[in-house]
């Protein structure tokens, strides 16, 4: 199968708007932007179409409104796409990324091959250029890999980013960064979209190896024997019901001049299919559970970006991966497992499998020297009940670390909302016969799952992202097609560049 991840060539243009040679020049328009002086020339170029649309309120500047109009007066662009960007005061890096993605998706749907984005607004120019590049890259993603007949519109061939100020070499670097981060997100989306008969733990590990090695990241794949030698009883327990053997994907970014510490440890849930096991899930919608490795894909693809961008610190990625199946040898409710860390777990619901494999994953990341931990997982339906599909939930300790991870992720487009880890929640995990239960029942289900993980974080700075609601879009958005979102790739990658703030 050909990979569906290909990007347009994205280049910088310092030309004035009139000289940008493109089929479609996209221009963000803000609410209350009618008087902006730089719009006069654009209005002239379109024979007054801009002002007419603003006066008639066809174009008010609300996010994602789109007005496409021909250029009539000798500019080199054939058409201009004015796209609503909301209020100037609400124009964040994330808004910009989405608006640029929406403009590029709109262009793509209209079979435009040569697209340009005109940078406007008050954001720092390098961050703005990077985010616009990310948006354009994200718009190139397709989920039609398995269509043998008619496919959707092909990605744009070529995109220009037009900026009037800034140092060219820095702007080029921002484009390069945006391209790598956008492409890494798309690779994660492709992995998450893969059906589970294609993406087994074994093939997931093979794909991760190819992806990471091409980025200069060292990869080790632990097989079922290695996993048994390490006594990862939680991962082995979950894998018992499956005919597919488990794997642990271990990735290392080790730049020659990096300090010994800190070491960032990224841990991702890699359930390639979650049937629920013996505590089996209802049939309706179960097909969605092929993306229960989205956290693992995020870690693999963040490691790729970290390698390509050569982050200045040591980073370790750990992705335990297995199916959760109800086979004849499967884990049964009431079984007791011993984790690699020595803690014992009474499994009362085999569908709470993610926290089990992550428990051993977090332990292994520490064993390999991680000093700061982040895990990412499609962990609980309760996180979706609490926060919907609008934001991931973030938990962890200490607050400073959680806030740094949250803020970094949010700017990268991976919105996270803080949730509590009160000690009382661990009462719900108390077992009569083992150190803890694997579920705490329905109340505060996302919090008790996080409390379970906390037991394996060894007191290190640790953040847990529950991406059950954000990893998959049930509906298309102006900035995104349906399906896997690539959540957490950019946030995790950007985190590897913030180490001066970790003290
Ligand atoms: N993979 C699921 C969580 C999930 C649910 C992800 C919906 C995406 C969408 C996880 O393994 C799971 O089954 N969690 C259970 C835990 C429960 C048994 C305590 C859940 O949320 O119902
Ligand atoms: Mn489950
Ligand atoms: Zn699961």
């Amino acid at each position: 199968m050909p990979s569906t991840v290909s990007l347009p060539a994205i280049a910088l243009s310092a030309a004035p708007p009139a000289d940008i040679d493109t089929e479609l020049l996209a221009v963000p328009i803000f609410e209350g932007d009618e008087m902006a002086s730089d719009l006069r020339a654009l209005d002239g170029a379109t024979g007054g179409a801009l002002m007419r649309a603003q006066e008639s309120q066809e174009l008010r500047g609300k996010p994602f409104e789109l007005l496409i109009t021909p250029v009539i007066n000798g500019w080199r662009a054939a058409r201009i796409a004015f796209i609503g960007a909301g209020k100037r005061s609400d124009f964040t890096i994330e808004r910009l990324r989405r608006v640029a993605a929406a403009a590029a998706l709109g262009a793509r749907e209209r079979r435009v091959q040569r697209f340009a984005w005109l940078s406007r607004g008050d954001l720092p120019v390098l961050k703005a250029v990077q985010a616009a590049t990310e948006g354009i890259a994200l718009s190139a993603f397709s989920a039609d890999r398995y269509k043998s007949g008619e496919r959707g519109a092909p990605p744009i061939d070529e995109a220009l980013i037009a900026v009037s100020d800034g140092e060219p070499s820095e702007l080029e670097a921002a484009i390069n960064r945006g391209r790598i981060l956008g492409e890494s997100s798309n690779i994660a989306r492709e992995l998450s979209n893969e059906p589970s008969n294609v993406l087994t733990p074994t093939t997931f590990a093979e794909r991760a190896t190819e992806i990471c090695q091409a980025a200069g990241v060292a990869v080790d794949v632990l097989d079922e024997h290695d996993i048994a030698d390490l006594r990862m009883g939680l991962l082995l327990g979950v894998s018992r019901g499956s005919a597919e053997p488990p794997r642990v994907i271990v990735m290392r970014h080790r730049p020659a001049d990096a300090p010994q510490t800190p070491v960032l440890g990224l841990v991702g849930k890699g359930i390639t299919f979650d049937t629920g096991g013996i505590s089996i899930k209802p049939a309706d919608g179960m097909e969605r559970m092929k993306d229960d490795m989205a956290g693992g894909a995020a870690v693999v693809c963040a490691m790729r970006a970290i390698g390509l961008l050569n982050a200045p610190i040591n980073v370790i990625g750990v992705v335990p991966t297995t199916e959760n199946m109800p086979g004849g040898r499967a884990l049964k409710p009431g079984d007791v497992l011993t984790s690699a860390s020595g803690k014992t777990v009474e499994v009362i619901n085999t569908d709470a499998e993610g926290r089990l494999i992550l428990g051993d994953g977090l332990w292994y990341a520490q064993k390999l020297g991680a000093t700061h931990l982040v895990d990412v997982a499609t962990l609980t339906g309760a996180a979706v009940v609490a926060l919907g599909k609008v934001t991931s939930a973030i938990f962890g300790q200490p607050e400073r670390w959680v806030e740094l991870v949250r803020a970094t992720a949010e700017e990268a487009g991976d919105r996270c909302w803080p949730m509590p880890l009160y000690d009382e929640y661990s009462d719900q995990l108390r077992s009569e016969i083992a150190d803890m239960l694997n579920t705490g029942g329905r109340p505060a289900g996302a919090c008790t799952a996080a409390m379970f993980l906390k037991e394996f974080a060894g007191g290190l700075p640790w953040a847990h992202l529950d991406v059950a609601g954000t990893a998959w879009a049930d509906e298309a958005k102006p900035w995104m097609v349906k399906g896997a979102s690539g959540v957490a790739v950019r946030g995790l990658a950007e985190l590897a560049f913030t180490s001066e703030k970790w003290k």
Side-chain angles (χ1 to χ4, degrees):
M1 280 292 157
S3 170
T4 45
V5 175
S6 65
L7 289 194
I10 307 175
L12 183 68
S13 170
D19 296 338
I20 299 169
D21 182 11
T22 184
E23 283 171 52
L24 190 69
L25 174 63
V27 180
I29 296 291
F30 301 102
E31 280 175 57
D33 218 4
E34 288 79 6
M35 291 294 137
S37 59
D38 64 325
L39 292 185
R40 272 192 216 124
L42 287 151
D43 186 55
T46 58
L50 174 58
M51 281 209 186
R52 280 196 300 279
Q54 286 180 318
E55 265 157 35
S56 69
Q57 305 221 335
E58 181 185 350
L59 186 67
R60 289 178 299 168
K62 299 272 182 213
F64 312 116
E65 282 175 354
L66 192 61
L67 175 80
I68 298 188
T69 180
V71 169
I72 57 159
N73 76 342
W75 279 29
R76 294 186 71 188
R79 290 191 291 170
I80 295 184
F82 295 106
I83 184 156
K87 295 199 176 83
R88 249 177 205 271
S89 54
D90 295 345
F91 195 56
T92 57
I93 288 293
E94 170 56 358
R95 169 68 62 76
L96 161 57
R97 184 184 294 107
R98 287 185 178 185
V99 170
L105 258 183
R108 176 179 176 181
E109 278 154 12
R110 288 165 179 80
R111 300 296 199 272
V112 167
Q113 293 186 335
R114 292 184 306 118
F115 170 84
W117 171 260
L118 183 65
S119 187
R120 287 188 79 226
D122 313 316
L123 294 165
V125 63
L126 294 176
K127 285 189 171 182
V129 163
Q130 180 188 325
T133 308
E134 288 169 9
I136 293 166
L138 291 169
S139 81
F141 180 70
S142 299
D144 54 7
R145 186 173 202 182
Y146 293 100
K147 293 265 191 203
S148 63
E150 199 181 321
R151 291 186 163 208
I156 294 163
D157 275 347
E158 171 197 303
L160 295 174
I161 305 214
V163 232
S164 53
D165 57 340
E167 172 68 38
S169 66
E170 287 177 357
L171 292 165
E172 300 277 5
I175 290 180
N176 185 48
R177 193 175 177 92
R179 180 193 295 113
I180 289 168
L181 289 167
E183 187 172 54
S184 299
S185 306
N186 287 347
I187 297 171
R189 295 163 86 180
E190 180 168 80
L191 288 170
S192 296
N193 274 349
E194 284 290 26
S196 73
N197 62 328
V198 173
L199 201 82
T200 63
T202 305
T203 57
F204 185 17
E206 287 166 6
R207 297 268 278 267
T209 304
E210 289 166 21
I211 290 165
C212 283
Q213 283 181 349
V217 171
V219 183
D220 263 330
V221 175
L222 310 186
D223 67 13
E224 60 273 35
H225 309 291
D226 303 321
I227 294 167
D229 289 346
L230 287 163
R231 298 175 179 274
M232 293 189 176
L234 303 182
L235 173 58
L236 286 173
V238 174
S239 74
R240 286 181 61 88
S242 172
E244 294 288 341
R247 295 286 182 263
V248 178
I249 308 166
V250 182
M251 295 151 281
R252 288 183 182 85
H253 169 69
R254 266 180 306 203
D257 42 4
Q260 264 199 328
T261 60
V263 181
L264 178 60
L266 305 176
V267 181
K269 172 176 174 181
I271 296 290
T272 58
F273 197 84
D274 183 11
T275 65
I278 295 298
S279 314
I280 199 160
K281 288 182 181 294
D284 245 12
M286 201 205 275
E287 69 280 0
R288 256 289 316 281
M289 287 298 125
K290 69 176 184 178
D291 87 323
D292 211 18
M293 34 56 70
V299 168
V300 169
C301 295
M303 291 302 298
R304 171 191 191 264
I306 285 167
L308 290 174
L309 295 171
N310 198 20
I313 56 165
N314 289 317
V315 187
I316 296 169
V318 174
V319 177
T321 173
T322 174
E323 291 181 331
N324 186 23
M325 294 285 283
R329 301 178 62 79
L331 192 60
K332 298 172 292 297
D335 289 359
V336 174
L337 301 176
T338 302
S339 67
S341 76
K343 287 201 165 68
T344 58
V345 180
E346 183 186 359
V347 177
I348 57 172
N349 188 323
T350 65
D351 199 9
E353 84 297 341
R355 63 197 75 183
L356 295 173
I357 70 168
L358 288 170
D360 280 340
L362 285 165
W363 168 83
Y364 195 54
Q366 284 163 74
K367 183 177 152 72
L368 296 179
T371 60
H372 292 70
L373 294 167
V374 183
D375 76 73
V376 192
T378 46
L379 202 63
T380 66
V384 193
V385 173
L387 299 170
K389 302 189 64 72
V390 171
T391 175
S392 308
I394 186 168
F395 301 83
Q397 68 190 10
E399 207 176 307
R400 242 174 75 83
W401 174 245
V402 177
E403 175 51 24
L404 178 71
V405 176
R406 190 204 63 74
T408 306
E410 179 172 296
E411 184 164 297
D414 297 319
R415 208 188 263 154
C416 304
W417 193 259
M419 300 266 280
L421 283 176
Y422 294 117
D423 284 340
E424 287 95 319
Y425 289 129
S426 57
D427 295 347
Q428 289 171 241
L429 296 175
R430 196 157 294 146
S431 163
E432 295 297 321
I433 59 165
D435 295 340
M436 52 186 157
L437 298 174
N438 78 324
T439 91
R442 284 176 62 87
C447 303
T448 53
M451 272 323 261
F452 181 96
L453 295 179
K454 184 175 173 222
E455 294 295 321
F456 295 91
L460 292 179
W462 156 72
H464 157 59
L465 272 54
D466 192 332
V467 296
T470 48
W472 189 270
D474 294 326
E475 285 160 32
K477 302 280 185 222
W479 64 90
M480 205 179 92
V481 297
K482 275 189 202 183
S485 65
V487 68
V489 172
R490 297 187 304 278
L492 293 180
E494 294 280 16
L495 186 63
F497 291 84
T498 61
S499 59
E500 75 283 359
K501 297 183 196 155
W502 298 5
K503 295 280 149 34

